[in-house]
Amino acid sequence: MRRLLVLFFVTLLLGCASTAPTAPRATGDLVLIIERASGHVTLASTTSRQPYARIGGLGDLSHASAVYSRDGRYAYVFGRDGALSKIDMLEARVVKRVVQSGNAIGGSISQDGRIVVAQNYTPGGIKAFDAETLELLSEVPAEYAPGQFSKVVGLADTAGNKFAYALFEAGEIWVTDFSNPRQPQTQRFPAGKNPYDGLVTPDGRYFMAGLFGEDGIALLDLWQTDRGARKILQNYGRGEERLPVYKMPHLRGWTMAQGKVYLPAVGRHEVLVVDATTWQEVGRIPVRGQPVFVMARPDGRQIWVNFSFPDYSKIDVIDTLQGKVVSQLEPGKGILHMEFTPRGEHVWLSARDDHKILIYSTETLTQIGDIKADAPSGIFFSSRAHRIGF
């Protein structure tokens, strides 16, 4: 009988152990990697620098992006095919997926975290969804003239549950207030010829839209919208012929450091340097190709620049104290995106054609790790949950 009782309790204990939950995982340490060719995302830890899950069935991710819920648990992935997918980063599963348009290119989440907004090419406009259920709340068609619709680009969240964005064909900046998400209110501002991307400054005050059809940037003061948008950096090409543009720069990869703004110049092998108080150009830094992303290490000391075709394999590192390129790297084939760890000790690079994420030390500028991924592109750390415009 004693032996039977011992065997019973051992079996009971083993049964309890087998059903015990795995060690809890926090959300502030996570990263979502877009695999653009296969419709998958890989989830990884930024501390261990190792993947912990891979999720498929997400459709066309050829130009996908992601934003996070306030607590960092959920990622909202915007696919090129118009799909919006809500992913549970802890349980590593798709919570819900809706196809909300025919052609989309990104989105954003409101200041209070309750509204997710997708920006669309087809049909042109934006749509607002409940962040919990993905229920459609309202939409704002980008009809800038009777029967004429524009592609929407550069959507960014701002204070007061407002969103700023640019209309490519219309040449306008719109600001939509979703304080009442079912009855949004929109303001319109002339911007310039063919705004191609946009961003909000880290303090949420200014929305900037890069112009593809002319040299310059449209700048809107969101604290004083009655003044309208104004042009800065006009005619920075000074009559010079622009080079063919193989990949549009991404202003969302802009940077502010040492009281200056660093921006990619369209069709030129230059990074533009702008005074952050006067918004006047104060310098240019020659680089090895046409910049796509111009991104700063969180402390602002370094700026990492990647390039469009044919210079996909190159990275230039700028020292902001010296105001020049101090290192030239060729880490891999098809470097499409970069993301710094929150405190800046590492930078993750997507090497699309090597099918890897490359992890570099920003101190030694040497590779310290890698993660296999199928044609990776966007890298999105959960720390974005706490940044305006990301």
Side-chain angles (χ1 to χ4, degrees):
M1 181 62 70
R2 287 179 183 175
R3 290 178 180 176
L4 288 173
L5 287 173
V6 169
L7 180 62
F8 172 79
F9 283 115
V10 169
T11 303
L12 180 64
L13 289 172
L14 288 174
C16 292
S18 67
T19 59
T22 58
R25 184 188 302 278
T27 59
D29 183 43
L30 307 182
V31 55
L32 181 147
I33 299 163
I34 300 291
E35 299 184 32
R36 58 181 289 133
S38 64
H40 284 75
V41 296
T42 288
L43 310 183
S45 161
T46 63
T47 298
S48 69
R49 306 194 294 274
Q50 295 296 322
Y52 66 88
R54 187 169 185 256
I55 303 170
L58 297 175
D60 184 355
L61 300 183
S62 59
H63 198 298
S65 63
V67 297
Y68 285 92
S69 59
R70 287 163 61 99
D71 59 5
R73 175 166 184 173
Y74 299 102
Y76 300 88
V77 178
F78 304 91
R80 189 60 186 263
D81 55 3
L84 168 58
S85 303
K86 181 178 180 179
I87 293 177
D88 189 322
M89 296 291 289
L90 296 184
E91 296 182 357
R93 66 183 180 90
V94 178
V95 178
K96 190 170 183 179
R97 183 173 184 267
V98 297
V99 178
Q100 54 86 35
S101 76
N103 188 349
I105 192 163
S108 191
I109 190 166
S110 62
Q111 185 179 37
D112 63 8
R114 297 171 60 189
I115 305 166
V116 177
V117 177
Q119 66 177 13
N120 295 316
Y121 276 8
T122 307
I126 62 173
K127 291 184 178 180
F129 298 85
D130 183 281
E132 181 67 26
T133 65
L134 296 192
E135 173 197 359
L136 177 63
L137 300 174
S138 58
E139 58 182 298
V140 180
E143 187 174 12
Y144 62 94
Q148 293 183 290
F149 294 82
S150 177
K151 293 189 286 289
V152 171
V153 295
L155 179 76
D157 56 283
T158 71
N161 290 344
K162 296 179 181 179
F163 294 80
Y165 49 102
L167 280 66
F168 184 81
E169 288 84 2
E172 295 182 348
I173 294 171
W174 289 14
V175 179
T176 298
D177 186 344
F178 283 99
S179 297
N180 181 347
R182 295 191 183 274
Q183 294 182 325
Q185 303 295 317
T186 299
Q187 296 175 282
R188 299 173 57 171
F189 306 92
K193 190 174 181 181
N194 300 136
Y196 68 86
D197 198 6
L199 62 92
V200 169
T201 54
D203 58 7
R205 177 167 182 177
Y206 294 98
F207 179 79
M208 302 169 63
L211 302 176
F212 184 71
E214 59 182 294
D215 290 341
I217 303 284
L219 182 71
L220 177 66
D221 186 342
L222 296 170
W223 295 1
Q224 303 178 91
T225 55
D226 57 303
R227 297 186 177 184
R230 63 188 176 98
K231 299 277 186 67
I232 62 173
L233 306 182
Q234 294 186 70
N235 303 314
Y236 59 75
R238 296 175 186 156
E240 299 172 8
E241 184 177 356
R242 188 188 339 200
L243 297 170
V245 178
Y246 297 104
K247 184 174 178 61
M248 299 290 277
H250 281 253
L251 284 190
R252 200 58 57 91
W254 82 304
T255 191
M256 181 179 285
Q258 308 296 320
K260 299 182 179 68
V261 178
Y262 297 80
L263 297 163
V266 178
R268 306 187 185 284
H269 293 186
E270 294 175 328
V271 171
L272 304 178
V273 187
V274 181
D275 185 282
T277 55
T278 65
W279 296 104
Q280 299 295 313
E281 180 185 327
V282 294
R284 302 183 186 198
I285 300 173
V287 289
R288 288 187 291 170
Q290 292 185 31
V292 176
F293 283 100
V294 177
M295 302 187 72
R297 196 171 70 180
D299 64 358
R301 177 65 188 272
Q302 292 177 350
I303 295 170
W304 289 53
V305 184
N306 72 336
F307 305 103
S308 67
F309 176 86
D311 300 303
Y312 273 154
S313 65
K314 300 174 182 177
I315 293 285
D316 280 2
V317 181
I318 295 170
D319 183 296
T320 56
L321 285 181
Q322 299 181 53
K324 65 179 183 180
V325 173
V326 294
S327 184
Q328 296 178 326
L329 307 175
E330 295 197 23
K333 299 176 182 178
I335 304 297
L336 297 188
H337 194 229
M338 302 175 284
E339 185 91 331
F340 289 90
T341 50
R343 298 196 180 190
E345 74 280 9
H346 302 148
V347 61
W348 292 37
L349 311 172
S350 60
R352 179 194 61 191
D353 300 338
D354 287 331
H355 301 284
K356 291 180 181 179
I357 297 295
L358 308 175
I359 304 172
Y360 269 66
S361 164
T362 59
E363 184 68 26
T364 64
L365 304 184
T366 58
Q367 184 178 334
I368 59 171
D370 63 66
I371 294 174
K372 292 183 179 180
D374 186 6
S377 55
I379 304 167
F380 301 93
F381 286 6
S382 58
S383 56
R384 286 173 171 245
H386 311 294
R387 299 177 65 184
I388 294 173
F390 280 84

